[in-house]
Amino acid sequence: MRYREAWDLLNISYDDFIRTTESRHYLTVQTFLSAIYENGFIYRGVYQGLYCVSCEDYYTLEAVMTAVVPSTIAFLTEMEEENWFFRLSAFEDRLVEFYDEHPSFVTPETKRNEAYSFIKGGLRDISITRTSITWGVPVPWDDSQVFYVWYDALINYLTAIGYGRADDEVALWWPHSHHLIGKEILRFHCVWWPAMCMAAGIEPVQHVQVNGWLLVGGEKLSKTMAAEGGVRLSDIAPVDLANEFGVDPLRYYLLRETALGNDGEFSLESITARYNTDLANNLGNLVARVAAVVDAKCAGVGPAPDRDSTLRPAAEAALSSAAEAWERFAPHHALEATWELIGATNAYLELHAPWKMEPGAALDTVMGDALEAIRLVAILVSPAMPSVAQEIWRRVGLSGSPTSAPFAASATWGQYPGGVTVEKGAPLFPRMTSDG
């Protein structure tokens, strides 16, 4: 429930929400792993090793002694039990071949190299069931065992599209999909999961985008940090930040400040600086002064743009760069390109100083060009700031929304209609101070 509330607050849409206790998930997991079993890649064996409860993972003594373990590792206990193993070692060569043939399977490249090196270092078969616990998805061919949580959790992707059930939509969605994951689960998603898919007779997913951590003072934000008297979770919880800065400014900051795939350092000072500089000073001021001039000198009616405007090349460059950046999972570059158009439009206004011009054709041309640039900016910022984009769209007199038409159809110069009412409105982004 807390996750759903957070997604709703942050205006994050989703088509499905899955819990691993749902009956549909049980059916998909059992169908998927039965296929692997029937294909000969699951066998019975005895596992003995060191188990970390907090990580929910097993480690070799060699890995522990050489510190090749996550920083989150806690108390280790030695366990031994008879269970079922996945023959991961059988897929070492196939995974290497798959990575070689699909160089963009994992991004960013540093994470691809990490997964690739792990595979090249040699793969061991892995235990995928437990007898020591009773909760979990039962193994269809052995009622004394349940599947290990990590393995049935991975199969959630197939649960969502109906694998093995009456609502099967696998052909529609798979493998032409993307996973977005945290870097700490890279091995599961970029090594074990594609091998499991191969073993079940389906293609691995098209692409895995690995994301970094949000850091505070160089440390990963965690419940442990809060419990030990460090940064309080409530100080930087999404709910509180959204209430203070607004949902869209928070979304903008998180997408713009750090490249997707890298760790990002969060501070109230940095989000305040982004808010005041990028949003209040640049975007907010652009919309406000264009609306003010149109109100004062164009009777509140926005003129049409010049198809051969000197602002058009900057707009077209921003549209091309932003579209390409979103396509390659680089939102920080997409927003950087968008703000280049905002900067070019502000410079265009400074050059012509329409607030000093007399009403007439020359003034109309300048204002029409600026309004067209703002229309395009609304389209470009809509993935990051959908509510702000909609409000800008409305203020410049446009109907529908920035996303009503496909990007390729709407994101071309010259479509601002002219002859529509422009509204001044309150400041889009009232200035903030770092102390709130």
Side-chain angles (χ1 to χ4, degrees):
M1 181 61 70
R2 292 176 59 192
Y3 289 103
R4 292 193 184 195
E5 290 174 350
W7 290 175
D8 290 344
L9 172 75
L10 297 173
N11 200 12
I12 297 173
S13 61
Y14 53 91
D15 296 313
D16 204 343
F17 189 94
I18 299 170
R19 294 181 63 90
T20 56
T21 54
E22 296 178 22
S23 59
R24 59 172 174 156
H25 182 63
Y26 275 46
L27 179 56
T28 290
V29 169
Q30 291 175 329
T31 303
F32 180 79
L33 288 170
S34 291
I36 298 177
Y37 176 71
E38 291 166 4
N39 288 338
F41 295 112
I42 292 178
Y43 65 92
R44 196 176 187 92
V46 176
Y47 183 85
Q48 182 177 16
L50 299 172
Y51 181 70
C52 173
V53 175
S54 64
C55 299
E56 295 181 328
D57 201 3
Y58 283 86
Y59 298 96
T60 64
L61 181 60
E62 179 186 8
V64 174
M65 296 298 292
T66 57
V68 187
V69 295
S71 60
T72 54
I73 196 168
F75 178 76
L76 292 169
T77 181
E78 187 166 358
M79 294 184 65
E80 177 178 337
E81 62 178 345
E82 185 175 356
N83 50 35
W84 294 92
F85 283 72
F86 172 52
R87 206 178 298 277
L88 180 64
S89 59
F91 293 89
E92 184 175 325
D93 292 340
R94 287 183 62 180
L95 285 171
V96 169
E97 181 181 3
F98 182 81
Y99 268 75
D100 288 341
E101 293 177 352
H102 302 83
S104 61
F105 171 55
V106 178
T107 53
E109 187 175 2
T110 54
K111 300 306 179 186
R112 175 195 182 277
N113 294 341
E114 182 180 336
Y116 189 77
S117 296
F118 183 84
I119 297 167
K120 294 281 286 186
L123 299 178
R124 299 179 180 178
D125 295 348
I126 46 181
S127 166
I128 64 170
T129 66
R130 296 289 179 268
T131 60
S132 55
I133 56 177
T134 56
W135 57 269
V137 180
V139 176
W141 59 87
D142 183 351
D143 58 11
S144 69
Q145 308 248 354
V146 296
F147 288 114
Y148 179 34
V149 61
W150 266 114
Y151 296 92
D152 88 71
L154 284 165
I155 302 166
N156 261 322
Y157 298 112
L158 296 178
T159 300
I161 55 177
Y163 177 94
R165 306 194 312 270
D167 56 344
D168 192 327
E169 292 186 343
V170 174
L172 176 64
W173 295 102
W174 201 271
H176 312 291
S177 298
H178 304 270
H179 292 343
L180 175 63
I181 68 166
K183 67 178 184 179
E184 68 274 17
I185 52 177
L186 181 141
R187 275 185 301 157
F188 298 101
H189 283 76
C190 303
V191 181
W192 299 343
W193 177 229
M196 290 165 65
C197 289
M198 292 174 180
I202 66 173
E203 287 292 314
V205 72
Q206 175 182 316
H207 171 241
V208 180
Q209 171 66 43
V210 183
N211 198 15
W213 290 340
L214 185 62
L215 307 176
V216 179
E219 297 290 332
K220 181 187 177 186
L221 181 62
S222 68
K223 295 178 181 178
T224 303
M225 180 190 297
E228 294 175 350
V231 177
R232 292 177 301 160
L233 286 177
S234 60
D235 288 342
I236 57 174
V239 173
D240 295 330
L241 290 171
N243 288 337
E244 182 173 359
F245 292 92
V247 172
D248 279 17
L250 175 59
R251 289 167 55 111
Y252 171 77
Y253 169 77
L254 293 173
L255 290 171
R256 177 75 190 272
E257 185 73 7
T258 305
L260 187 63
N262 295 345
D263 289 344
E265 181 72 29
F266 174 88
S267 72
L268 289 174
E269 291 77 14
S270 62
I271 188 174
T272 301
R274 278 285 182 195
Y275 179 98
N276 286 334
T277 301
D278 293 5
L279 301 181
N281 291 353
N282 295 336
L283 176 56
N285 186 51
L286 171 62
V287 174
R289 65 177 175 172
V290 167
V293 173
V294 171
D295 180 71
K297 300 198 174 189
C298 303
V301 177
D306 179 0
R307 294 198 61 83
D308 297 319
S309 169
T310 56
L311 192 54
R312 179 172 180 171
E316 292 177 340
L319 291 166
S320 176
S321 296
E324 184 271 336
W326 283 114
E327 184 68 24
R328 60 181 171 86
F329 290 82
H332 66 299
H333 281 155
L335 293 170
E336 180 180 329
T338 303
W339 256 253
E340 288 176 0
L341 175 56
I342 292 171
T345 307
N346 276 320
Y348 177 82
L349 293 174
E350 291 294 333
L351 175 66
H352 292 283
W355 43 87
K356 296 180 181 178
M357 298 173 67
E358 294 298 323
L363 174 67
D364 288 350
T365 296
V366 173
M367 301 318 297
D369 291 349
L371 286 163
E372 171 63 350
I374 290 173
R375 183 188 74 85
L376 294 173
V377 165
I379 294 172
L380 292 177
V381 302
S382 60
M385 299 194 292
S387 297
V388 166
Q390 182 62 48
E391 176 61 11
I392 293 172
W393 195 262
R394 187 191 68 78
R395 288 194 187 188
V396 297
L398 298 172
S399 59
S401 75
T403 57
S404 294
F407 181 84
S410 61
T412 57
W413 182 268
Q415 294 190 40
Y416 185 77
V420 294
T421 301
V422 174
E423 179 185 316
K424 289 175 65 174
L428 285 170
F429 307 103
R431 289 186 61 81
M432 303 285 292
T433 56
S434 59
D435 60 3

